[in-house]
Amino acid sequence: MSKTAASSETPEGGAAAGIPVRQLGQAAREVWYRSPLYSLSLGGRPPAAFLAVAPDPWPGDAARAEALLSGRLAVAGRTANLAPDPWHRPGADPLWLAGLHAFDWLRDLRDHGGTDGARLALRGVEDWIAANRSWSAIAWRDDVLAARVVNWVRHYDFLAAEAPSDFTARFVDSLARQRRHLERRLGQAANGAHGLALLKAAIVLDAAFVRGDQNRERRLARTTTRLAAALPRIVLPDGTVADRNPQAQLAALRDLIDIRAVLVSAERPAPAALQDAIDRAAPMLRFLRHGDGGLALFNGADAGDPGAIDLVLARSGNGARAPADAPHGSFVRLAAGPALVLIDAGAPPGKGLDLETHAGTLSVEFSVGAERVFGNCGAYAGLSDDWRYMMRYTAAHATAIIADTNSSELIQGGGLEYPASNVHATRAEQDGATWLEASHDGYRSLFGVTHKRRLWLAADGADLRGEDMLVGSDGKPVKPAASGRKFAIRFHLHPDVKASLAQSGASALLRLPSGQGWKVRASGATMTLAESVWLGDGQRVRRTAQIALVGGLGPDGAKVKWAFTKVEG
């Protein structure tokens, strides 16, 4: 067994890695999808009727609409011209192309584009139909296709207002072709938020095609039954989405709300499991938010838009407070006074759900009121494979790392091998203060080491203390090869936090934007202040600092104590 070495430096080049079996399987499928025979297989008798179900309720963006009307599409911080032929442009940013093909921008034109926006939207759909009859990697990618067909169906009235008489036939025929491909992909989909998005798309299409057709009535019933069977695997009993990613939690809750609205609009019964999933997922989304309204940066999530998160929660119809614990999702929340500590205290999700998962087991995020103090570096959604890969390193998380080695082996194209396992966590309260004891054995095979982490948050939230122990697994000494290896315990500061070392490096002083001060102390390791990065919005790299507690493993491992204490006055 081996685990990829992790550097905390800015990436200069990607690490070489073998091609996993799952990627080889995907490559083989793509050869088939590109063939003329496969394109022929997508044909068939079009639906006899079409019903525009549940118009899209989510708000558009005025700035994006203005850019579109001037011939430019802005997606995830990237802006490019729509002309000429944007659909298969060589060298285009894949993230920009995915946003173009997903058609989320229809709502921007609908809300802020007026008549010109309606004409541009119609032209975009008609151009797509003409240019994308055959499969291509981004245009027909699962998540992109799922978003596109939902956007088309739910914006039909907007599109048809400026459409010629023969538009609906071409529109429905294209949707039917995409539905046939979607049916074949449903069996390949994972159980998490990705699989839910595909099921949502299938339900939207089946509901749109159902009127007056008994065969399609039965198909909608089957798809709804399929959803009900899948929901317990997608939304765990405590409400956590199986991906263990706060951003996937948000996306899944929004998809559940949309499915409910579509079934109501189509006057079809919703399975009881659907509302139950909404009622479990909404409080858990609250659980995974910091005081600034954004999400914790675990397993590929970025902070998100607090206003958009508020809207999703409001439309869930569930006002329940965040639960105290997440025993199935294995996140832990310690809250006292204005302070909040969120901990990833669970094993990574299984194969198929781990494509975005980070090697950040036992990582901690700490905020005070609406101000983030320290946490993980975040995730990168841009073109650079190097940055996306580096953000998954253990070194990019507020946890312990040994010999610059990840606690779970990362596959560069996505997913994990040899993930950290045997992750345990116990939470307790006493006199208003909260304790957590947690451990994982991700370093057992390489170094014979178990990482044990203890946290204590004072009742007033003004004192957070921790103890990290790197000890021999199963009561044995650490492996001889591990003795003398360097370890580091990292705290990546938010970019708005100012830090300076004090007392000749024995402590550090932090100043939050509000002016509030915190003192950092540690024993058992040398405190350093180093450069770091923060990608909380998923799009841009912001320079920041990290406090790193650095030392070497002895025959008995290492024990490091640390504290973040509010400075009065």
Side-chain angles (χ1 to χ4, degrees), residues 352-387:
L353 296 173
D354 62 351
L355 294 179
E356 301 296 329
T357 300
H358 291 196
T361 307
L362 300 193
S363 61
V364 175
E365 298 211 328
F366 178 46
S367 58
V368 180
E371 297 176 309
R372 299 192 187 215
V373 182
F374 69 79
N376 302 321
C377 290
Y380 188 64
L383 184 60
S384 168
D385 288 335
D386 294 327
W387 274 108

Side-chain angles (χ1 to χ4, degrees), residues 29 56 60 63 103 120 147 157 167 172 187 260 292 385 460 484 530 552:
R29 283 191 295 272
D56 178 79
F103 281 83
L120 178 59
D157 289 340
F167 168 72
V172 171
R260 181 178 64 185
D292 62 1
D385 288 335
D460 61 358

Side-chain angles (χ1 to χ4, degrees), residues 47-53 152-153 156 168 171-172 175 205 208-209 211:
F50 176 80
L51 173 69
V53 291
W152 281 15
V153 171
Y156 173 76
T168 299
F171 180 76
V172 171
L175 286 173
L205 286 172
F209 296 157
R211 179 180 289 172

Side-chain angles (χ1 to χ4, degrees), residues 110-263:
R110 177 201 65 202
D111 288 353
H112 305 286
T115 301
D116 287 343
R119 290 171 181 159
L120 178 59
L122 175 64
R123 187 164 68 249
V125 172
E126 295 212 279
D127 286 352
W128 192 95
I129 292 170
N132 294 276
R133 188 169 179 81
S134 298
W135 185 92
S136 60
I138 292 180
W140 290 70
R141 196 176 75 195
D142 291 352
D143 58 326
V144 176
L145 182 150
R148 177 173 59 252
V149 297
V150 170
N151 284 322
W152 281 15
V153 171
R154 303 188 82 183
H155 286 89
Y156 173 76
D157 289 340
F158 171 61
L159 297 167
E162 296 292 325
S165 59
D166 60 347
F167 168 72
T168 299
R170 294 194 306 276
F171 180 76
V172 171
D173 178 68
S174 179
L175 286 173
R177 289 177 63 83
Q178 295 177 71
R179 177 63 179 91
R180 293 181 190 105
H181 178 72
L182 176 60
E183 181 63 28
R184 296 162 191 174
R185 293 298 303 154
L186 281 171
Q188 303 286 337
N191 286 325
H194 175 86
L196 178 61
L198 268 64
L199 283 166
K200 166 185 163 180
I203 287 174
V204 168
L205 286 172
D206 292 349
F209 296 157
V210 75
R211 179 180 289 172
D213 188 325
Q214 290 303 311
N215 288 332
R216 296 187 186 278
E217 285 277 7
R218 286 191 288 270
R219 168 173 268 191
L220 176 58
R222 285 196 303 270
T223 308
T224 305
T225 300
R226 194 175 193 172
L227 170 72
L231 281 175
R233 300 190 302 272
I234 296 170
V235 182
L236 303 179
D238 62 10
T240 307
V241 171
D243 306 66
R244 302 192 69 252
N245 174 332
Q247 201 167 8
Q249 185 83 24
L250 172 64
L253 178 58
R254 178 166 159 163
D255 285 343
L256 292 167
I257 294 166
D258 280 346
I259 292 170
R260 181 178 64 185
V262 166
L263 292 174

